[in-house]
Amino acid sequence: MNKEHEEIQSESDIIRGDVLESIFCHVPLIHLVPVCHLSKSWNRALFSSLRHFNKPKPWLIIHSQTSRPPYTTAASSVAYDPRSNLWLRINHDPPVEYVSDLRSSNSTLLYMLSISKFSFSFDPLHLTWHQADPPLVWRTDPVVGILDRRHIVVAGGAWDFEDDPLSVEIYDLETRKWDTCESISAIFEHSAASMWLSIAANTKTLYAMEQASGITRSFDPISRIWLGPFDLRHDPNIYFSVIGISRDNLIMLGLLGNSENVKDIKIWELKGESFELFKEIGAMPKELVEKLKEEHASLSSIKISLTGDVLYIFNPEEPKELVVCEIDGRRRVSRWGSLKNSMVNDGGRVTERAVLTCADVSLGDLRKAMKSGKGSFSTVNNGILQY
């Protein structure tokens, strides 16, 4: 073993560090995992390449599930790695036990809620699942969000007529207990069901916005009170909007015009105590708007999944094409592109119910998955990302 290591060390000395860095730029991230263990010089060149040249970018992960009980799913998911421009299959071992509809929230959280169990996962590759008792109030379609990797907020969606349909509970991951707090009844007049709301969360605050009106409230898990309402619709031409978090800042993506005539799709960054400071950071090119609409003349809604500076946008009714944009250091959208959804079959339809998450995936995450045996990876096909 020592002799082999010495030979590798000797060979690596022949190849200059800058040459290695250039080579590593063209190697998919999953194939770079073994390089970490070859030699110190290769390891230095590898991390220098990832830090200064072809940097890792947030992965889009698509989880599939049948739409009817018993909610079985393939023991794998597919992921798009934009750094490598590859679609990958992530094989789960053991497969996840699905107890109800699989759902996602604020791009990073996957969860399932049944009358007997609350299951959730928030690691980048979703290979680790946590099990908890269900909330004290039974809910069918609640708002769910994770804050500071410790608190999970569950609000609204109560089923039993005897319960407050807009009650709020918080699950503490450290104490493994549920606690109640201020009802969301003072927050939204119409509904606190997740299907009507867009949810976003940073390390300190949960945001919930009515997609149709733009009315938004924020929740502080420390004081356990809701603040607002805030009207984020500074442009009266916005008819549908969603929110997300980019670098701890709140951003909003809005559809302008009407569902039969989409004039623009724009992105704003919002700041200030009442989000009175807003800056337009990008407008989607017209040809990409048409790709989101597909064969339909209208576009009534969109969904987003984002982490860091990469944003994936899709039409939930026609998910064949994904729009991708990147935000640069000046907080402007610097690149727009489109990407074929790898889970769409030849007939142009998603073969199973799909749930999307987005996460920063590091070499350490890949190495941990492979070493633990919980995950293995294989290439599905090359991405066709068009800029």
Side-chain angles (χ1 to χ4, degrees):
M1 184 67 182
N2 291 335
K3 184 177 180 181
E4 291 177 359
H5 181 76
E6 289 173 3
E7 289 176 354
I8 292 172
Q9 181 72 45
S10 177
E11 291 174 2
S12 67
D13 290 340
I14 298 173
I15 306 176
R16 287 169 30 195
D18 57 342
V19 177
L20 281 174
E21 291 174 3
S22 179
I23 293 172
F24 292 150
C25 283
H26 303 282
V27 180
L29 198 63
I30 57 169
H31 299 320
L32 290 173
V33 175
V35 176
C36 302
H37 308 288
L38 290 180
S39 71
K40 291 182 178 179
S41 60
W42 279 51
N43 195 57
R44 283 195 300 270
L46 169 60
F47 283 95
S48 177
S49 176
L50 294 175
R51 187 164 51 249
H52 300 295
F53 298 102
N54 194 1
K55 300 178 182 179
K57 297 178 181 179
W59 286 25
L60 175 73
I61 305 178
I62 305 179
H63 314 264
S64 63
Q65 182 189 38
T66 55
S67 57
R68 297 179 180 178
Y71 304 106
T72 55
T73 183
S76 65
S77 53
V78 296
Y80 176 69
D81 172 10
R83 175 195 175 274
S84 311
N85 195 24
L86 285 178
W87 280 101
L88 307 166
R89 187 170 303 282
I90 306 174
N91 301 300
H92 303 265
D93 187 19
V96 179
E97 179 188 354
Y98 287 82
V99 297
S100 65
D101 281 346
L102 181 67
R103 302 176 185 270
S104 65
S105 177
N106 50 292
S107 299
T108 57
L109 176 68
L110 277 181
Y111 67 94
M112 292 174 286
L113 180 60
S114 72
I115 198 169
S116 60
K117 185 185 297 184
F118 178 52
S119 302
F120 57 94
S121 172
F122 53 85
D123 63 285
L125 297 170
H126 298 286
L127 298 176
T128 300
W129 281 80
H130 307 266
Q131 311 297 333
D133 292 332
L136 303 176
V137 175
W138 166 235
R139 308 161 188 272
T140 56
D141 185 25
V143 171
V144 179
I146 186 169
L147 293 164
D148 58 31
R149 300 180 70 86
R150 176 179 173 178
H151 298 100
I152 296 180
V153 180
V154 178
W159 173 258
D160 196 320
F161 68 91
E162 294 182 354
D163 296 318
D164 178 358
L166 302 172
S167 63
V168 179
E169 297 178 62
I170 298 179
Y171 182 76
D172 190 315
L173 274 72
E174 292 187 3
T175 63
R176 298 181 61 83
K177 292 182 179 179
W178 290 97
D179 196 8
T180 58
C181 58
E182 179 187 357
S183 171
I184 201 173
S185 58
I187 312 307
F188 300 108
E189 295 180 2
H190 305 295
S191 174
S194 65
M195 65 181 296
W196 305 113
L197 301 177
S198 179
I199 307 300
N202 56 23
T203 54
K204 298 179 180 179
T205 309
L206 173 75
Y207 303 94
M209 181 184 71
E210 282 187 334
Q211 297 170 133
S213 70
I215 299 300
T216 303
R217 289 276 187 158
S218 63
F219 179 76
D220 179 357
I222 304 301
S223 63
R224 302 198 171 189
I225 61 172
W226 291 87
L227 301 176
F230 311 106
D231 186 358
L232 304 190
R233 295 279 181 85
H234 58 276
D235 189 330
N237 292 313
I238 300 173
Y239 69 90
F240 183 90
S241 53
V242 290
I243 54 175
I245 297 293
S246 173
R247 301 294 176 191
D248 226 29
N249 295 319
L250 186 67
I251 65 169
M252 180 179 74
L253 190 148
L255 306 183
L256 287 78
N258 58 66
S259 61
E260 301 298 325
N261 181 22
V262 185
K263 295 181 178 180
D264 265 315
I265 298 180
K266 294 184 177 181
I267 303 177
W268 295 269
E269 188 172 68
L270 307 168
K271 293 183 178 181
E273 290 186 5
S274 302
F275 307 107
E276 69 279 4
L277 303 176
F278 53 88
K279 178 179 75 172
E280 182 182 323
I281 63 174
M284 186 181 296
K286 300 295 185 183
E287 60 271 21
L288 296 183
V289 176
E290 294 302 315
K291 285 190 175 184
L292 281 181
K293 290 164 64 175
E294 290 291 337
E295 296 88 0
H296 297 272
S298 63
L299 182 63
S300 59
S301 67
I302 54 172
K303 288 188 176 182
I304 61 172
S305 191
L306 76 156
T307 292
D309 295 329
V310 178
L311 174 65
Y312 297 93
I313 308 163
F314 63 101
N315 179 353
E317 296 180 3
E318 288 289 344
K320 182 178 179 181
E321 197 93 22
L322 299 159
V323 171
V324 186
C325 71
E326 298 181 26
I327 303 171
D328 61 21
R330 299 175 301 160
R331 306 307 296 165
R332 296 279 185 182
V333 174
S334 58
R335 292 180 101 183
W336 288 95
S338 63
L339 177 69
K340 296 290 185 183
N341 186 344
S342 181
M343 284 199 64
V344 175
N345 62 18
D346 294 337
R349 304 296 300 177
V350 174
T351 56
E352 295 179 302
R353 181 171 175 271
V355 178
L356 279 65
T357 58
C358 184
D360 285 316
V361 177
S362 67
L363 275 179
D365 295 320
L366 297 175
R367 185 168 60 244
K368 182 179 178 181
M370 295 176 184
K371 185 176 180 181
S372 67
K374 289 184 177 180
S376 60
F377 306 87
S378 58
T379 301
V380 177
N381 55 48
N382 290 327
I384 309 175
L385 182 58
Q386 300 175 346
Y387 286 109

